[in-house]
Amino acid sequence: MYSRLLNDNHILGGIIMDDKKKIFVYGAGISGQGVSEVLARKGSAVILYNDDKKELDPAWLKAFEALGGEYIQGTDPEPYLEQCHLFIISPGIPFTTETVKKARNLGMEIIAEAEEASRLYKGHWCAVTGSNGKTTTTTLLGEMLATLPVKTAVAGNIGFALSKELQDLDQDSWVAAELSSFQLEGTTSLAPDVACIVNITPDHFERHGDMAGYVAAKSKIFAFQTPDQILILNADDPVSSKLGDKARSRVIWFSTEKVLPEGGFIEDGWFTLALDGKKERICQVSDLQIFGAHNEQDVLAACLSAHFAGVTAENMARVLKAFRGVEHRLEYVTAINGVKYYNDSKATNTDSAIKALEAFKDGHVILLAGGHDKMTGLDDLMEAVKAKTDALILLGEARQRFCEAAKKHGVQNIIMIDGTFEDAVRKAYSLAKAPQVVLLSPACSSYDMFANFPERGRVFKQIVMDLAKEAKA
């Protein structure tokens, strides 16, 4: 394992770097700005670079420049790369860009923002990844960690730059960190005390190429762990369940389908942990205010992670009973004329949309799907659509491919929307009659119409609330 950043003099890998050398941060989004600010405040010379011209908040930029930072945009990066010894890449940028190639040609060390955060942070980690459920798991875990008598934080893919969120935490602190495959791809020494993979299903082939590349990126979460650290895996997941043999760390399993000799499971309707010869019941499944079998997996993953951070079963139960879910994940919006509306904008892949459909045991779903196509397989999704929906409303760039797959699987009542997102929601409103439900679960990313899935979810909720007002008028 590479040594961490030990002080402000840039001791990397045991080598004292030339203080005149600078750090090159690639990408001026949330992560890039966050790590640039943290490093500049520590006295490092930082160049924040963006390929395209991008206006930053003037107050932030002024403060960054006052710390000696430089912001360069829309010009050849090579003269600036030559001044630097370390290259930190933002998670949204692939490793195939010309700027990365130039850095490689110069022999620079290239790392992710999450890797730099791990070098700076001296406290304890619970790191969570997965194709689906990682935000719910991380949020639950964060609330459980908050019951500990130490400083805690929730950071990573779930919100702000990891390095910025961790900068004020001490060595006794604990962080619940959600890490995406994009963040993990560029790690070279990150070794969380507790690592958790909730599941792995096909996603982000446009970035990682294929399933093997995607699994390799996810596996970085435990690649540098030591035998005294913990890896939590889903025994029910066909992909992540095969990773245990590759780990040097202690592997702990969870399952919602069977009782395990050790790990987390459901027994007689209770969430149960059996660890180190002791069995503890946390709370009953019926105590949850969130629904869906996928949430039961998230609960077990969070409880196991929290256990190894020192959280008591009583505090886990208190958190679980009060938890109402995360925004944009099967989020109840309102009911109009007896029809319930659910915002599942966070379903940016097919497996997530399948889990959302399966949560509605009686079916009768009017499904809104489509968006920016990730080009993953659609067979399993369309079988779920056929079983659970009364109508499939398709929109966005993916609509034609989704339509062809739906027809192939015998899905009935397919409606293509060539207009706006609001047109699609209003179409669902015009069709839906109780006991049907309207579900936004796109199975696609949002980039064809929106900046991100939270924006898509917020717009959906606003349109639904406007429709509710119209219905009352």
Side-chain angles (χ1 to χ4, degrees), residues 42-320:
K42 284 182 166 292
S44 299
V46 181
I47 295 175
L48 174 61
Y49 175 84
N50 208 67
D51 282 322
D52 303 317
K53 289 192 175 182
K54 178 183 176 72
E55 295 299 320
L56 304 186
D57 176 71
W60 182 89
L61 184 57
K62 182 179 180 180
F64 176 59
E65 291 175 341
L67 293 168
E70 300 175 68
Y71 177 46
I72 309 298
Q73 54 180 322
T75 189
D76 182 9
E78 193 150 8
Y80 304 96
L81 290 168
E82 291 172 349
Q83 303 174 37
C84 301
H85 67 83
L86 179 64
F87 185 106
I88 300 175
I89 187 169
S90 296
I93 301 175
F95 281 71
T96 54
T97 68
E98 288 301 316
T99 299
V100 175
K101 291 176 183 176
K102 289 178 179 180
R104 283 204 173 105
N105 290 338
L106 290 169
M108 295 180 67
E109 181 185 15
I110 301 173
I111 63 171
E113 184 268 334
E115 170 66 22
E116 180 64 11
S118 76
R119 296 179 180 188
L120 292 166
Y121 178 53
K122 302 299 188 295
H124 301 287
W125 290 83
C126 285
V128 179
T129 196
S131 302
N132 302 294
K134 59 183 178 292
T135 298
T136 299
T137 302
T138 306
T139 304
L140 273 171
L141 175 58
E143 294 189 13
M144 292 175 183
L145 293 179
T147 67
L148 296 172
V150 296
K151 291 181 178 180
T152 63
V154 178
N157 194 52
I158 199 168
F160 301 105
L162 194 59
S163 49
K164 188 170 183 178
E165 289 297 292
L166 304 184
Q167 64 180 331
D168 296 324
L169 299 183
D170 56 35
Q171 63 183 10
D172 296 321
S173 62
W174 278 91
V175 59
E178 178 185 322
L179 299 178
S180 69
S181 61
F182 293 1
Q183 290 170 300
L184 289 165
E185 188 178 12
T187 56
T188 57
S189 70
L190 184 148
D193 301 79
V194 182
C196 176
I197 301 178
V198 183
N199 51 54
I200 302 180
T201 57
D203 201 359
H204 294 303
F205 287 4
E206 80 288 357
R207 169 80 172 248
H208 301 297
D210 54 21
M211 193 63 177
Y214 181 53
V215 173
K218 289 291 190 186
S219 298
K220 288 292 230 22
I221 199 169
F222 67 85
F224 306 103
Q225 282 189 307
T226 58
D228 60 341
Q229 294 173 321
I230 303 296
L231 172 61
I232 296 167
L233 294 175
N234 184 347
D236 305 331
D237 180 58
V239 179
S240 55
S241 62
K242 296 177 182 178
L243 299 177
D245 292 341
K246 298 180 180 181
R248 289 186 299 161
S249 43
R250 178 187 176 188
V251 179
I252 304 293
W253 301 93
F254 67 89
S255 172
T256 59
E257 299 177 1
K258 57 198 171 201
V259 173
L260 303 173
E262 181 182 62
F265 48 86
I266 297 172
E267 185 177 40
D268 300 326
W270 285 79
F271 292 110
T272 305
L273 303 186
L275 296 162
D276 300 317
K278 180 181 179 181
K279 181 184 284 189
E280 288 185 299
R281 286 182 164 184
I282 308 302
C283 69
Q284 292 181 300
V285 175
S286 59
D287 290 331
L288 297 183
Q289 298 190 53
I290 51 178
F291 70 101
H294 59 290
N295 282 319
E296 295 168 9
Q297 294 186 348
D298 301 343
V299 165
L300 288 171
C303 287
L304 284 171
S305 299
H307 168 84
F308 287 103
V311 178
T312 66
E314 292 76 14
N315 282 334
M316 293 180 206
R318 189 177 302 115
V319 167
L320 291 175

